[in-house]
Amino acid sequence: MQQLGEVSAKLRRWPRRIVPDQRSLAAECLERCCDLFEAPQALLLIDDGDEPWLNIAFLSKGEFRWREDEDLRLESAVAGELATRSFHVGARDQVHLPDARTRRVAHAIDQRIRKEIGRGPVLSVPIAAESLQGRLFVSSPKLDLGLALMITEPLSALLAIQFEASSQLRTTVRDAVDQERIRVARNLHDGLLQSFTGVVLQLETVHSMLDNDPQNARRMITETQGLIMSDQRELRQFVEQLRPRPVSGETKFDFAQRLEDLRSRFASQWGVRLVFDVADIDPLISGFIGQETFRLIHEAVTNSAKHGRASVVRVGVRTEGSEMHIEVADNGTGFPFHGRLTLDEMRESRTGPTVLAERVSSLNGTLTVDSTESGAVVTMTVPLGFGG
């Protein structure tokens, strides 16, 4: 019983942290298994299904090796009748099972695995996780055979949990990176890339004026330089936001100044007059909501100027309770459809301002678009994240 207590203590001390790197996790598990079963070496097969090869981890006398094998398959690693079982194979192909039964199984372990772990007795444990399958081989275990077979079931569950957690963590990180890339691409499209398009158009105008009206051309060049410097500041702030660690001294988001910059930009680049009514904004708006709100306004105004060919755009922003209400109305030609669409209808029909719809949806807001041949009205409501 003393031995059982020691084994139980080792299982209780098994690390519970999630190891994202599969190789590091395999090395740690093999080391723990060698200690648990008092074995000189152990081998681990991992089939995660994503690649056409089998991952093979091997630990022998403290030396860890990892390789990928395209020829060996997990289903052929042990005899078919043992594919889902834990077992111990000893001399003369005698296989011992956890239920105390013994049978003779020829070629219980694939010969290629035998070459790596030797001809001595081997304890084998299956690993069945949701996202991967595997099998552990422990060579020449000194632990009492009955006790070793007794703990194979909890050990199998423990290994499955650890490898599944590691796999899920890698998937989550991968998904998060993909979502962040989408966010970065969307922000660049909505902000800087739209602005650069306006700068290019303005420079084309300057080029046509150089000979006939050099004075105005020089004035427009100066304005363009100012716009580029403004874009440079915005890009610098954007890069700072992407840093993994927050910078000291957080910069306050100046919502009113950004709207004024937007007014100047659209007047010079697009010839569009922007009229803002932001008198009823709650002063408690956070910097994050301010930035996201500005991007909503920027995208809506860009749609009015670029697609609706509007000359006047009126933007109203107010807060009420725990929500912000934004209305963008223009005198352009409207959207390709006429009538009213809600956010759900736009997502279902893929009609209307899709980028704007994505932004509003990501903020758990609502969106309504009223479109006519004489203009469009975009109405958005987004939660502020605080009550009252």
Side-chain angles (χ1 to χ4, degrees):
M1 297 303 295
Q2 175 69 27
Q3 201 172 22
L4 175 60
E6 293 175 356
V7 170
S8 299
K10 288 181 179 180
L11 287 174
R12 287 196 301 270
R13 291 196 299 268
W14 198 285
R16 297 298 193 267
R17 65 182 182 279
I18 300 178
V19 181
D21 180 66
Q22 198 174 73
R23 296 190 188 191
S24 300
L25 177 59
E28 181 178 281
C29 288
L30 288 175
E31 183 178 353
R32 292 278 175 175
C33 288
C34 285
D35 177 60
L36 182 66
F37 293 105
E38 302 174 21
Q41 58 188 21
L43 182 143
L44 185 62
L45 305 180
I46 304 172
D47 183 3
D48 55 20
D50 292 336
E51 303 294 346
W53 56 71
L54 194 64
N55 295 315
I56 302 179
F58 185 57
L59 182 70
S60 178
K61 298 179 181 179
E63 181 182 350
F64 176 74
R65 299 197 303 270
W66 173 281
R67 78 173 195 274
E68 297 158 352
D69 193 314
E70 295 187 2
D71 297 325
L72 186 62
R73 293 291 180 266
L74 183 64
E75 56 268 22
S76 64
V78 299
E81 60 188 288
L82 301 173
T84 61
R85 308 290 301 273
S86 294
F87 63 87
H88 177 279
V89 58
R92 298 181 181 179
D93 295 328
Q94 288 296 317
V95 172
H96 303 267
L97 300 173
D99 57 8
R101 287 187 295 173
T102 302
R103 68 180 70 168
R104 187 176 184 277
V105 180
H107 307 298
I109 299 176
D110 187 280
Q111 294 303 310
R112 288 168 291 183
I113 297 176
R114 271 295 189 184
K115 288 181 180 180
E116 295 202 51
I117 60 176
R119 306 303 302 179
V122 174
L123 179 73
S124 184
V125 180
I127 303 172
E130 183 177 342
S131 58
L132 59 83
Q133 303 292 315
R135 182 166 280 275
L136 170 71
F137 297 90
V138 181
S139 176
S140 302
K142 295 180 181 179
L143 187 65
D144 175 77
L145 178 57
L147 181 55
L149 290 171
M150 183 190 305
I151 64 174
T152 54
E153 184 175 347
L155 177 62
S156 175
L158 180 59
L159 292 174
I161 290 172
Q162 284 209 292
F163 278 97
E164 178 66 22
S166 176
S167 176
Q168 291 296 332
L169 178 59
R170 290 194 302 276
T171 300
T172 301
V173 170
R174 200 161 47 236
D175 291 344
V177 169
D178 290 342
Q179 290 298 320
E180 182 65 10
R181 286 174 176 170
I182 293 173
R183 186 188 72 83
V184 169
R186 187 172 59 198
N187 289 344
L188 288 175
H189 170 270
D190 295 352
L192 292 172
L193 293 181
Q194 297 282 13
S195 177
F196 291 161
T197 301
V199 169
V200 170
L201 293 175
Q202 192 160 346
L203 288 176
E204 290 178 354
T205 303
V206 169
H207 187 271
S208 64
M209 296 172 58
L210 283 174
D211 294 331
N212 300 326
D213 194 353
Q215 184 173 353
N216 272 331
R218 284 193 295 270
R219 177 184 58 79
M220 292 186 66
I221 289 175
T222 302
E223 291 178 356
T224 303
Q225 287 176 327
L227 294 174
I228 293 175
M229 291 176 65
S230 176
D231 289 339
Q232 185 183 35
R233 289 194 297 271
E234 183 172 349
L235 180 59
R236 186 178 295 112
Q237 291 178 354
F238 188 75
V239 171
E240 288 296 329
Q241 292 175 4
L242 295 178
R243 292 183 183 275
R245 296 178 182 177
V247 296
S248 58
E250 183 179 355
T251 303
K252 183 180 179 181
F253 183 81
D254 193 338
F255 186 70
Q257 182 59 48
R258 295 298 295 275
L259 293 181
E260 188 58 38
D261 291 342
L262 193 66
R263 187 206 311 270
S264 175
R265 183 186 302 275
F266 273 82
S268 60
Q269 293 182 352
W270 300 92
V272 174
R273 183 166 69 92
L274 296 185
V275 180
F276 292 108
D277 181 6
V278 295
D280 295 328
I281 295 182
D282 194 300
L284 295 178
I285 292 176
S286 67
F288 173 77
I289 293 294
Q291 291 183 13
E292 291 301 321
T293 303
F294 175 78
R295 293 188 180 110
L296 292 176
I297 294 172
H298 188 286
E299 177 65 20
V301 171
T302 299
N303 286 335
S304 297
K306 189 174 181 180
H307 304 297
R309 296 191 292 278
S311 60
V312 178
V313 181
R314 300 182 182 277
V315 180
V317 184
R318 64 182 176 85
T319 55
E320 182 177 341
S322 59
E323 294 181 328
M324 171 174 280
H325 302 270
I326 306 167
E327 183 179 280
V328 180
D330 65 57
N331 64 346
T333 58
F335 288 91
F337 69 92
H338 287 166
R340 168 172 289 195
L341 285 180
T342 64
L343 177 59
D344 290 339
E345 292 169 338
M346 278 180 263
R347 297 175 69 178
E348 183 177 349
S349 63
R350 299 183 182 276
T351 306
T354 55
V355 174
L356 190 61
E358 285 183 15
R359 280 199 168 280
V360 173
S361 179
S362 69
L363 295 172
N364 297 320
T366 63
L367 171 66
T368 303
V369 177
D370 292 282
S371 176
T372 69
E373 60 184 10
S374 58
V377 179
V378 176
T379 307
M380 296 169 277
T381 301
V382 293
L384 290 171
F386 61 89

